[in-house]
């Protein structure tokens, strides 16, 4: 009897020793990322086949590491997202935080929004000053947007163009498919501008712009229009449209009788200019990149 009791206590003690944390306290089972890293409510998230059917990529990278590298959050937070069923790989919800994936070829989403999983891709916002060409080089030595990018090794594409005298938000990336779709009229990504125009403004200007105005190459129209302020002979207006024809904002407002003296682009799809200083860049956030993917169906 004593031997069996001792054996039982030793077994219980050994078990506690294996589960114990500092000071012999029991290790707590909980969400991924807590001290019970491998189990949630007694289920092994790393190996339990009932959690999902995604096949691990040989030599792949652990899913939570990919998420963390993409800026989703800390490794622990990413493990929690996986355990809560909020992460998809190639359309399948993955609940094993030890799942191994190929971030270069698989599509990974969090809460239905794709994340930028490839580490070689760059996504930048630039506040282009006036008097700068939307090109990477100029044989006449004029200022170009490349002058504001530093010595970057990547070959970046500019998403669409801004006129020489137009200021504001430009997107640059080496993600060729995203750049192509953002610039293609088929996807109708909206762009918003602030324009300094001649005043006074007639009451029916908003209606005319949204209904459409005939230009030499066809009818053009605004999606939204509002007067920000009006004083004397000048007014500041905000106009949103999804067209990309050359000089479209200037031509549209001029045809309506209100030539533009200054034009600043403040938004491209979900990305805003914010307080970015002229001539400076910033990296897009993971959320912004995911919203750009969603805007063009990627």
């Amino acid at each position: 009897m004593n031997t069996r009791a001792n054996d039982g206590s030793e077994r219980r003690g050994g078990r506690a020793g294996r589960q114990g944390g500092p000071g012999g306290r029991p290790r707590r089972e909980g969400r991924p990322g807590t001290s019970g890293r491998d189990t949630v409510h007694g289920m092994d998230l790393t190996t339990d086949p009932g959690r999902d059917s995604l096949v691990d990529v040989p030599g792949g990278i652990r899913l939570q590491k990919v998420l963390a590298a993409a800026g989703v959050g800390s490794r622990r937070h990413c493990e929690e997202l996986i355990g809560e069923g909020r992460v998809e790989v190639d359309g399948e919800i993955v609940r094993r935080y030890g799942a191994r994936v190929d971030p270069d070829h698989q599509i990974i989403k969090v809460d239905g929004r794709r994340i930028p999983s490839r580490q070689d891709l760059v996504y930048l916002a630039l506040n282009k000053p006036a008097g700068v060409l939307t090109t990477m080089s100029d044989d006449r030595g004029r200022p170009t947007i490349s002058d504001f990018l530093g010595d970057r090794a990547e070959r970046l594409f500019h998403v669409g163009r801004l006129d020489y005298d137009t200021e504001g938000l430009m997107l640059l990336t080496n993600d060729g498919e995203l750049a192509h779709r953002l610039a293609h009229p088929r996807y109708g990504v909206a762009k918003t501008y602030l324009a300094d125009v001649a005043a006074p403004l007639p009451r029916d200007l908003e209606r005319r712009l949204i209904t459409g105005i005939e230009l030499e190459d066809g009818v053009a129209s605004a999606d939204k229009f509002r007067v920000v302020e009006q004083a004397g002979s000048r007014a500041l207006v905000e106009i949103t449209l999804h067209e990309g024809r050359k000089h479209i904002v200037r031509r549209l407002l001029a045809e309506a009788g209100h030539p533009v003296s200054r034009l600043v682009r403040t938004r491209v799809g979900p990305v805003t200019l914010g307080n970015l200083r002229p001539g400076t860049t910033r990296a897009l956030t993971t959320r912004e990149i995911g919203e750009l993917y969603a805007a063009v169906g990627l």
Side-chain angles (χ1 to χ4, degrees):
M1 292 293 294
N2 290 340
T3 302
R4 293 181 61 186
N6 290 340
D7 288 344
S9 64
E10 288 175 3
R11 285 195 296 271
R12 287 192 298 272
R15 188 185 208 174
R18 287 192 300 272
Q19 292 183 339
R25 293 191 301 270
R27 177 176 292 176
R28 175 170 56 91
E29 288 190 343
R31 294 173 299 178
T34 65
S35 53
R37 287 184 63 86
D38 297 327
T39 59
V40 172
H41 304 305
M43 182 176 292
D44 188 336
L45 295 182
T46 304
T47 61
D48 181 40
R51 300 293 283 181
D52 61 70
S53 59
L54 185 77
V55 177
D56 284 351
V57 174
I61 303 173
R62 286 182 177 264
L63 181 55
Q64 69 270 30
K65 184 175 180 180
V66 173
L67 297 176
V72 174
S74 67
R75 190 83 62 91
R76 174 175 295 181
H77 176 63
C78 294
E79 290 170 349
E80 292 174 349
L81 294 176
I82 295 168
E84 292 166 4
R86 296 166 60 184
V87 179
E88 299 174 37
V89 178
D90 289 343
E92 180 176 353
I93 293 177
V94 178
R95 295 178 181 272
R96 291 171 294 123
Y97 69 83
R100 293 187 176 274
V101 299
D102 179 355
D104 290 342
H105 297 96
Q106 292 182 292
I107 295 176
I108 303 171
K109 296 182 178 181
V110 176
D111 293 334
R113 183 181 292 115
R114 185 173 174 180
I115 66 162
S117 55
R118 283 179 52 184
Q119 296 301 297
D120 62 323
L121 294 182
V122 175
Y123 305 85
L124 299 176
L126 164 70
N127 186 348
K128 183 187 95 65
V132 173
L133 292 172
T134 302
T135 184
M136 292 300 179
S137 62
D138 179 62
D139 54 10
R140 294 166 57 184
R142 292 172 294 181
T144 70
I145 57 175
S146 65
D147 297 333
F148 306 102
L149 300 179
D151 298 325
R152 303 195 67 95
E154 307 89 358
R155 181 191 176 196
L156 299 179
F157 305 95
H158 49 80
V159 177
R161 290 179 175 272
L162 284 179
D163 302 336
Y164 181 75
D165 291 323
T166 300
E167 310 162 48
L169 180 63
M170 291 202 68
L171 302 183
L172 301 112
T173 180
N174 56 350
D175 187 332
E177 179 63 16
L178 178 63
H180 169 73
R181 292 198 181 199
L182 287 171
H184 199 288
R186 170 185 173 187
Y187 298 98
V189 177
K191 304 172 185 68
T192 299
Y193 300 79
L194 285 175
D196 189 357
V197 300
L201 305 177
R203 292 184 177 182
D204 68 342
L205 180 58
E206 178 182 5
R207 178 189 59 78
R208 290 177 59 204
L209 290 170
I210 292 177
T211 301
I213 293 177
E214 185 74 38
L215 303 178
E216 66 272 16
D217 56 351
V219 175
S221 62
D223 298 330
K224 298 178 182 177
F225 177 83
R226 71 182 182 97
V227 179
V228 178
E229 61 183 34
Q230 186 171 187
S233 62
R234 306 306 303 172
L236 183 65
V237 301
E238 183 180 77
I239 184 169
T240 299
L241 67 170
H242 59 269
E243 288 200 53
R245 281 184 275 174
K246 191 173 182 180
H247 307 305
I248 188 65
V249 176
R250 294 179 183 273
R251 292 164 54 207
L252 181 60
L253 289 170
E255 188 65 26
H258 302 279
V260 174
S261 59
R262 184 185 179 193
L263 188 62
V264 180
R265 186 159 69 191
T266 59
R267 177 184 288 267
V268 175
V271 182
T272 61
L273 181 63
N275 58 3
L276 188 64
R277 298 192 311 276
T280 61
T281 63
R282 69 169 177 86
L284 299 188
T285 66
T286 299
R287 182 181 184 86
E288 288 173 326
I289 299 168
E291 289 175 344
L292 287 173
Y293 282 141
V296 296
L298 284 175

